[in-house]
Amino acid sequence: MKKTLLISMVTAALVCVFALPSLYAVDAPGDMVLKAPAGAKMTKSPVAFSHKGHTALDCAKCHHKWDGKGEIKNCSVEGCHADTSKEGKKKPTSFYSAFHAKADTSCVGCHKAMKKAKKATGPTKCGDCHPKKK
Ligand code: HEC
Ligand code: HEC
Ligand code: HEC
């Protein structure tokens, strides 16, 4: 009797050890440099982004179309923020909107909202994210 109890406890412990990490099956990347998608003209300098420095936030805050388990896609995939045209800049589906829209899912939107709420946050000025090209 005691032996079966022990075995089931050990089994339960092992299940926990191996099953838990699968809750975070998608690993968060480290520091990255964000650029416009291939083929799009860049008028500003690339943006340094510490992904690890932002992971205290809910993943789905930024990856707002992610289902919580599958693959996490780039912002600029077709159907998301793929529009890099000058005319489409203001549209929610533009590449520009992904990073500057008012909604707090965007870099600037979130930083501005938090700044207004007097919380520690990231930069809101163009040049702080897009440093002048040397
Ligand atoms: C503050 C916003 C933000 C948060 C929070 C965030 N990410 Fe990201 N993540 C990004 C951005 C921006 C990219 C780059 C997307 C691109 O290149 O278009 C990215 C890219 C990724 C990628 C690579 C996708 C690819 O194919 O390029 C993975 C995987 C990822 N994030 C996982 C996570 C996980 C897991 C979490 C939660 C622990 C998380 N992210 C939280 C903003 C965020
Ligand atoms: C939902 C809110 C949110 C979003 C979205 C977000 N940030 Fe931030 N960001 C923060 C907070 C909070 C901090 C302050 C972290 C700290 O220092 O405690 C921060 C800090 C920063 C900093 C300064 C510190 C560092 O990590 O170097 C930079 C630069 C930055 N963010 C860039 C970005 C970029 C680029 C994006 C979009 C790809 C982005 N952030 C999206 C909340 C956000
Ligand atoms: C919190 C960081 C942040 C701030 C502040 C910011 N941007 Fe961006 N911007 C980004 C990110 C991230 C991208 C996407 C990566 C890239 O294209 O460099 C981007 C892309 C762009 C693009 C499209 C790509 C290109 O190079 O043409 C333009 C235009 C742009 N930003 C202009 C601005 C202007 C103008 C301001 C000030 C009003 C500004 N940004 C403020 C983060 C920021």
Side-chain angles (χ1 to χ4, degrees):
M1 251 331 218
K2 265 193 178 156
K3 206 171 173 184
T4 13
L5 183 66
L6 185 70
I7 289 171
S8 52
M9 277 169 72
V10 169
T11 313
L14 282 175
V15 166
C16 283
V17 166
F18 290 106
L20 266 183
S22 70
L23 282 176
Y24 295 100
V26 186
D27 279 332
D31 292 350
M32 44 174 82
V33 176
L34 300 174
K35 293 186 188 120
K41 199 179 148 225
M42 283 192 68
T43 55
K44 293 275 172 189
S45 60
V47 177
F49 173 58
S50 163
H51 192 283
K52 279 258 150 58
H54 283 79
T55 39
L57 301 163
D58 187 5
C59 314
K61 186 87 218 169
C62 301
H63 302 293
H64 57 114
K65 291 285 184 191
W66 184 42
D67 62 3
K69 34 188 200 294
E71 188 198 349
I72 291 187
K73 294 185 186 132
N74 282 334
C75 306
S76 59
V77 292
E78 207 50 58
C80 296
H81 299 281
D83 189 350
T84 55
S85 73
K86 208 178 164 192
E87 306 74 49
K89 200 174 158 186
K90 287 261 151 64
K91 289 189 196 147
T93 50
S94 73
F95 179 69
Y96 186 84
S97 287
F99 309 101
H100 313 81
K102 256 196 168 162
D104 72 349
T105 44
S106 96
C107 318
V108 179
C110 176
H111 291 170
K112 276 196 174 158
M114 290 188 78
K115 197 179 170 190
K116 213 174 157 197
K118 300 212 165 15
K119 289 190 190 140
T121 191
T124 54
K125 291 198 192 93
C126 313
D128 290 345
C129 284
H130 301 284
K132 280 242 156 61
K133 289 174 198 161
K134 274 165 216 144

